[in-house]
Amino acid sequence: MPTDRTTKLVSARFGDDKARTMAGYEASGGYATLRKALAMRPEDITAEVKASNLRGRGGAGFATGVKWGFVPPGSPKVHLVCNADESEPGTCKDRELIYWDPHLLIEGMIISAHALRAHHNYIYIRGEMMREYVVLAKAVEEAYQRGYLGTNILGTGVTVHLTVHRGAGAYICGEETALLNSLEGLRGQPRLKPPFPAVKGLFGNPTIVNNVETLMNVPLIVDKGGAWFNGLGMGRSGGTRMLCVSGHVEKPGVFELPMGITFRQIIDEVCGGVWKGRKVKAVIPGGVSMPPLDADELDVPCEFDALQTDERIKPVMVRPGEQFNLGGGKALRTMAGSGGVVVLDDHCDIPKAVWRIMKFFAHESCGQCTPCREGTGWMEKVARRVADGTGKPGDLELLSSIAHGIAGNTICALGDAAAWPMLGFLTKFRADFEAKIQQRAA
Amino acid sequence: MSLEFSGPAKQKIAALCERYPDAGSKKPVVLAALHLAQKEFGHLSDDALRLVAATLELPYAHVYGVATFYTMFRREPGGVTTIRMCTNISCMLRDGYDVLAAFEQKLGLKKGESNKEFTLVEEECIAACANAPCAVVGTKYFLDITPAKVSAIVDELRSAPHPEGEVV
Ligand SMILES: Cc1cc2nc3c(=O)[nH]c(=O)nc-3n(C[C@H](O)[C@H](O)[C@H](O)COP(=O)(O)O)c2cc1C
Ligand code: SF4
Ligand code: FES
């Protein structure tokens, strides 16, 4: 049975200021599932998570139970790390989740750590999230005092430690291997993969990195069962989705919504329509790293697979007539990403918006790979002159070729994250860019 | 001039060193120690970096490399309160650049500049996009800002500063 729009799993305690405290959280049923989970075998918890079709909410949508299964059996030291670095432009759900319900995250981490037999675990929280750090640090302290964290939890023999680790300003630290380097006290630069963190991660030990929202779903799955959670979703994606809607809508906000809701429904029915009575020009479906949708592509659901494969979404092109190849001849449409839905209205200056996105990536490239370091800076420069009306004939071809040169040729996915929206906007809004260039010629 | 951490800061660092038993060194505490040093000394001078290196038994070059990678650390003195004003996509779409300009005008500072009271930073997305344009100042968020609200925000921060060090 698919969810209706009133089903709230991870945002059920939003607006309740008492839920942030141990007493308030317990009064609303908190930590009851922990007792149940501690009595379960770790394998059985992982099996429930697999059955739930919970998929990572951090950006890639990878199946959580499958990822947990990559930890080599019998590993003596395993770590679970929560990625609370949220900084993908347009995304503002993890910050709200932590602020309103820190104990649900902690409960999810204890249960998940038990499933993974992980003893020393960390929440990597973005440095600029100072209010949320205070909230989380206090909640962790309460959980230690109550005996939910530490050695021999509630007399079960299970040991789970949890430490909140503050970052210090760097988008790239959201990439999981950069995050691990940052946790280790290094510069936050991504590592070459393989080995993947599940095999060799923090301090050289098998490590699972999961997003805040991903981990907060785990207590609900253990409580009500994987089949129940899967049934709430759509296709191979279980549960609900936290969506952050911003930009040109009447009522922006952070909403927990059904997997199957379409972008048109989100805009018109949840957010009161486009502001000022205008029309949609473009929608960024999952943070600025993802190629945009145009006004004809809004009837697609926000579900993970649909955004990658639904043929109503036009494929991204390298240049007119040449489709971008994601590997093995696969087309790139778009992806669900981080849940950051940004709506651009029909008065929007698209080249200027694209320049701002490119400026972001140029600023955040860690500089390890030449295509990303040089390419993001170059795209920003060319996108800026196109946006301010001083672009030259050939600039659009130049932007395409720089983006195409970056995609697939870098250590981490930040390179793709810069290239894909560049190509996506050029594919779907080429006329807007051409008009800017002709403006100069005139 | 050699610097020293306060008693509470030393205790905090010592406690944190216990939290990473699998690390085999005190390296994972470097970000926290740099946050503490910035709180106590205002900025990360060469001496402050040397103090962090000595405290954590790390090479100076390592600490320098880390301190210069992350944008929240400053090597030069700055204002008591740092205003981080977002101009990224969602904020830009709702006139965030006009708000930034209003801050510049009210403070008499360009973005990136400081006086004794304030540092004004043009920030990337601060994860409050649904309330764009927005700014974060220590533990306080200013949401749905318009240029007209800027003057009152600055006055409020003058009477109740929010230094980032309040957190560590
Ligand atoms: C440049 C870049 C930035 C990222 N930023 C974040 C982030 O802020 N938060 C997050 O959870 N995942 C982020 N990710 C994805 C992580 O690498 C990782 O896939 C995710 O944390 C795994 O958790 P999940 O499986 O629960 O989604 C980022 C990836 C890249 C390439
Ligand atoms: S792709 Fe960019 S951000 Fe990622 S490792 Fe290479 S230079 Fe760094
Ligand atoms: S874009 Fe400004 S807070 Fe996210």
Side-chain angles (χ1 to χ4, degrees):
Chain A
M1 187 201 69
T3 38
D4 62 42
R5 289 180 204 167
T6 59
T7 303
K8 306 293 174 205
L9 308 182
V10 290
S11 66
R13 294 184 182 84
F14 276 29
D16 174 3
D17 267 307
K18 291 195 201 77
R20 203 173 289 125
T21 63
M22 177 60 79
Y25 182 68
E26 287 189 328
S28 63
Y31 289 112
T33 311
L34 176 64
R35 292 167 199 273
K36 175 180 174 184
L38 290 173
M40 287 168 73
R41 291 188 315 152
E43 298 72 25
D44 296 339
I45 298 174
T46 303
E48 282 306 322
V49 173
K50 272 193 186 142
S52 75
N53 272 333
L54 171 64
R55 294 173 70 167
R57 304 296 201 250
F62 198 84
T64 306
V66 174
K67 179 150 90 179
W68 290 8
F70 292 153
V71 173
S75 303
K77 286 181 181 173
V78 179
H79 306 286
L80 172 65
V81 176
C82 172
N83 188 341
D85 194 54
E86 184 172 68
S87 28
E88 171 76 12
T91 316
C92 50
K93 64 188 178 66
D94 297 340
R95 197 177 63 76
E96 298 275 339
L97 288 167
I98 292 168
Y99 180 68
W100 289 110
D101 208 351
H103 283 288
L104 181 60
L105 175 58
I106 295 169
E107 186 173 9
M109 283 202 75
I110 304 170
I111 296 171
S112 305
H114 172 46
L116 294 161
R117 297 183 164 86
H119 295 163
H120 289 281
N121 309 291
Y122 301 90
I123 299 173
Y124 185 98
I125 185 166
R126 183 174 170 188
E128 292 90 342
M129 285 189 195
M130 291 169 266
R131 180 179 74 165
E132 291 69 25
Y133 170 77
V134 172
V135 165
L136 204 47
K138 172 131 196 302
V140 167
E141 197 183 307
E142 283 182 320
Y144 266 104
Q145 278 164 4
R146 199 91 172 87
Y148 295 146
L149 280 168
T151 48
N152 192 17
I153 298 169
L154 305 176
T156 57
V158 175
T159 291
V160 176
H161 288 286
L162 184 57
T163 300
V164 187
H165 185 109
R166 276 188 80 200
Y171 166 71
I172 193 57
C173 289
E175 194 281 338
E176 58 183 7
T177 60
L179 183 153
L180 295 177
N181 275 343
S182 183
L183 246 173
E184 290 187 7
L186 310 172
R187 293 161 74 91
Q189 288 178 319
R191 302 174 182 175
L192 265 172
K193 295 187 256 190
F196 287 93
V199 176
K200 192 168 185 285
L202 188 64
F203 311 128
N205 302 318
T207 303
I208 293 297
V209 181
N210 274 134
N211 171 259
V212 170
E213 184 189 344
T214 309
L215 290 166
M216 285 174 81
N217 274 300
V218 171
L220 291 133
I221 292 167
V222 170
D223 179 28
K224 301 212 169 88
W228 165 83
F229 188 87
N230 183 40
L232 295 178
M234 175 186 170
R236 294 187 303 136
S237 306
T240 56
R241 280 204 78 191
M242 290 297 292
L243 294 173
C244 331
V245 193
S246 67
H248 297 151
V249 288
E250 281 292 342
K251 286 181 280 177
V254 181
F255 310 98
E256 184 167 2
L257 293 168
M259 252 327 148
I261 196 167
T262 68
F263 289 90
R264 194 179 305 283
Q265 289 171 320
I266 295 167
I267 295 167
D268 290 344
E269 296 167 22
V270 180
C271 296
V274 181
W275 74 347
K276 303 179 182 177
R278 294 179 186 169
K279 295 196 169 57
V280 174
K281 174 109 185 185
V283 175
I284 296 169
V288 296
S289 302
M290 297 305 151
L293 302 171
D294 68 23
D296 298 328
E297 299 171 327
L298 303 180
D299 292 310
V300 173
C302 68
E303 188 270 332
F304 292 92
D305 293 328
L307 285 165
Q308 290 182 47
T309 58
D310 195 308
E311 290 185 358
R312 285 173 292 179
I313 306 175
K314 293 174 275 299
V316 169
M317 310 297 271
V318 177
R319 48 188 71 82
E322 184 190 346
Q323 199 169 304
F324 180 79
N325 179 1
L326 202 51
K330 220 174 115 197
L332 168 65
R333 295 177 201 277
T334 189
M335 281 173 75
S338 61
V341 178
V342 188
V343 178
L344 285 65
D345 73 16
D346 59 355
H347 287 51
C348 181
D349 183 340
I350 295 281
K352 189 175 168 202
V354 170
W355 159 73
R356 186 62 187 82
I357 294 170
M358 293 305 131
K359 176 174 185 273
F360 169 71
F361 286 114
H363 182 252
E364 301 298 338
S365 167
C366 85
Q368 275 192 112
C369 330
T370 313
C372 172
R373 183 186 62 239
E374 302 299 324
T376 52
W378 196 7
M379 285 200 296
E380 191 267 331
K381 205 174 112 193
V382 179
R384 188 187 340 141
R385 72 178 180 232
V386 172
D388 70 19
T390 59
K392 302 180 202 142
D395 274 354
L396 304 189
E397 291 70 21
L398 179 58
L399 284 169
S400 290
S401 92
I402 304 169
H404 195 219
I406 299 173
N409 294 319
T410 57
I411 292 176
C412 90
L414 185 140
D416 300 312
W420 291 0
M422 187 72 245
L423 294 173
F425 274 102
L426 283 172
T427 302
K428 290 176 188 171
F429 303 97
R430 201 169 183 88
D432 290 72
F433 292 92
E434 278 167 353
K436 284 268 188 174
I437 290 179
Q438 276 151 18
Q439 184 182 316
R440 179 182 186 238
Chain B
M1 186 190 76
S2 77
L3 300 169
E4 232 196 297
F5 276 121
S6 67
K10 281 184 192 162
Q11 276 170 12
K12 176 122 199 181
I13 291 170
L16 282 173
C17 287
E18 305 295 314
R19 305 300 303 175
Y20 305 84
D22 301 315
S25 77
K26 297 178 181 171
K27 224 186 252 178
V29 184
V30 68
L31 290 185
L34 288 167
H35 277 303
L36 280 163
Q38 184 155 301
K39 171 189 177 163
E40 302 214 326
F41 313 122
H43 69 286
L44 298 175
S45 62
D46 293 350
D47 280 335
L49 297 184
R50 267 186 217 107
L51 174 67
V52 170
T55 307
L56 299 179
E57 299 158 33
L58 297 171
Y60 173 82
H62 179 82
V63 175
Y64 177 88
V66 172
T68 51
F69 184 82
Y70 298 91
T71 56
M72 287 182 79
F73 296 135
R74 60 188 188 203
R75 298 271 288 132
E76 302 295 329
V80 173
T81 293
T82 301
I83 300 173
R84 298 183 181 276
M85 174 68 213
C86 176
T87 61
N88 210 309
I89 185 84
S90 311
C91 291
M92 183 190 98
L93 293 175
R94 287 183 168 249
D95 301 330
Y97 276 102
D98 295 344
V99 176
L100 178 65
F103 272 115
E104 289 184 329
Q105 203 198 1
K106 170 79 182 173
L107 295 169
L109 296 172
K110 290 272 165 223
K111 63 185 182 188
E113 291 180 350
S114 304
N115 57 28
K116 277 214 157 51
E117 273 180 304
F118 291 105
T119 296
L120 179 63
V121 176
E122 179 185 5
E123 191 55 80
E124 296 296 356
C125 174
I126 59 170
C129 329
N131 293 95
C134 49
V136 61
V137 183
T139 54
K140 195 161 168 63
Y141 290 90
F142 292 94
L143 305 174
D144 305 304
I145 313 175
T146 60
K149 290 184 191 169
V150 162
S151 185
I153 291 172
V154 171
D155 292 341
E156 180 190 328
L157 289 169
R158 280 212 166 104
S159 54
H162 269 278
E164 295 192 339
E166 70 188 345
V167 174
V168 291

